[in-house]
Amino acid sequence: MRAAVLLAAFVAVAAIALLPVVRDELAWWWAESRDHAIDYYTYGNTWQNGLHVAEARLRYKQRLWSEGEKTLIHKAYEDAAHPTPENSVEYNKQKQLRRDAFLWKAATNADTLKAYQDYISQFPQGKFAGPARARIADLSHQAQGQAPAPH
């Protein structure tokens, strides 16, 4: 009984080692079972004259494209879910608009020449630059004892 098992094992090892067709089929089975681009690539390079080379090349291209698409989609979801403020143009634009509105509100609350000048120095082309300049002119005229200029 033991001799029969040893003989069967020897025959199996010899078949795998000596018969390239069996090794080719095993390599193809492995590539198919894992179904990744790298496995098809490895099969195609190892078995350049193998039975499944054409199919391996086709599947390699398909999986490469598919895996690349999945990676890009995953990255897009990650970027959308966790934007990095430093790299987000939209985030920085919104941040500037909020700062602009905040400084304008602070200037109107203080309603002083210095507050409006500070606003203009920070946001010379800001959303409220026109009204800030007009208020600076009014306050400057008032400080000099003149009537405010009409707008």
Side-chain angles (χ1 to χ4, degrees):
M1 176 76 168
R2 183 177 171 160
V5 171
L6 286 175
L7 180 62
F10 176 75
V11 169
V13 169
I16 290 172
L18 299 176
L19 295 176
V21 173
V22 173
R23 290 188 3 232
D24 175 24
E25 287 299 323
L26 283 174
W28 177 247
W29 173 82
W30 177 256
E32 258 190 330
S33 68
R34 290 184 35 100
D35 201 31
H36 293 289
I38 190 67
D39 297 311
Y40 293 118
Y41 178 81
T42 302
Y43 175 86
N45 279 347
T46 305
W47 299 94
Q48 293 177 0
N49 297 321
L51 298 172
H52 307 282
V53 164
E55 191 173 354
R57 288 184 182 140
L58 176 65
R59 288 191 187 183
Y60 168 71
K61 289 178 184 175
Q62 290 171 340
R63 294 309 177 273
L64 194 63
W65 181 84
S66 176
E67 290 169 9
E69 279 292 303
K70 286 178 186 174
T71 301
L72 290 175
I73 290 169
H74 180 71
K75 181 170 177 9
Y77 277 120
E78 286 294 316
D79 290 349
H82 309 290
T84 39
E86 299 79 26
N87 298 336
S88 173
V89 174
E90 185 61 30
Y91 175 85
N92 287 332
K93 182 179 173 184
Q94 291 298 321
K95 184 177 175 182
Q96 281 297 98
L97 289 173
R98 285 191 303 272
R99 285 189 67 232
D100 183 346
F102 177 80
L103 283 177
W104 172 248
K105 187 69 173 168
T108 57
N109 286 342
D111 199 30
T112 63
L113 185 60
K114 177 160 178 25
Y116 290 108
Q117 288 171 337
D118 287 345
Y119 173 82
I120 290 294
S121 71
Q122 290 286 319
F123 295 99
Q125 303 299 319
K127 184 176 180 181
F128 306 101
R133 286 189 178 90
R135 190 65 183 135
I136 288 171
D138 289 347
L139 291 172
S140 295
H141 285 86
Q142 287 176 5
Q144 296 172 359
Q146 302 173 357
H151 299 286

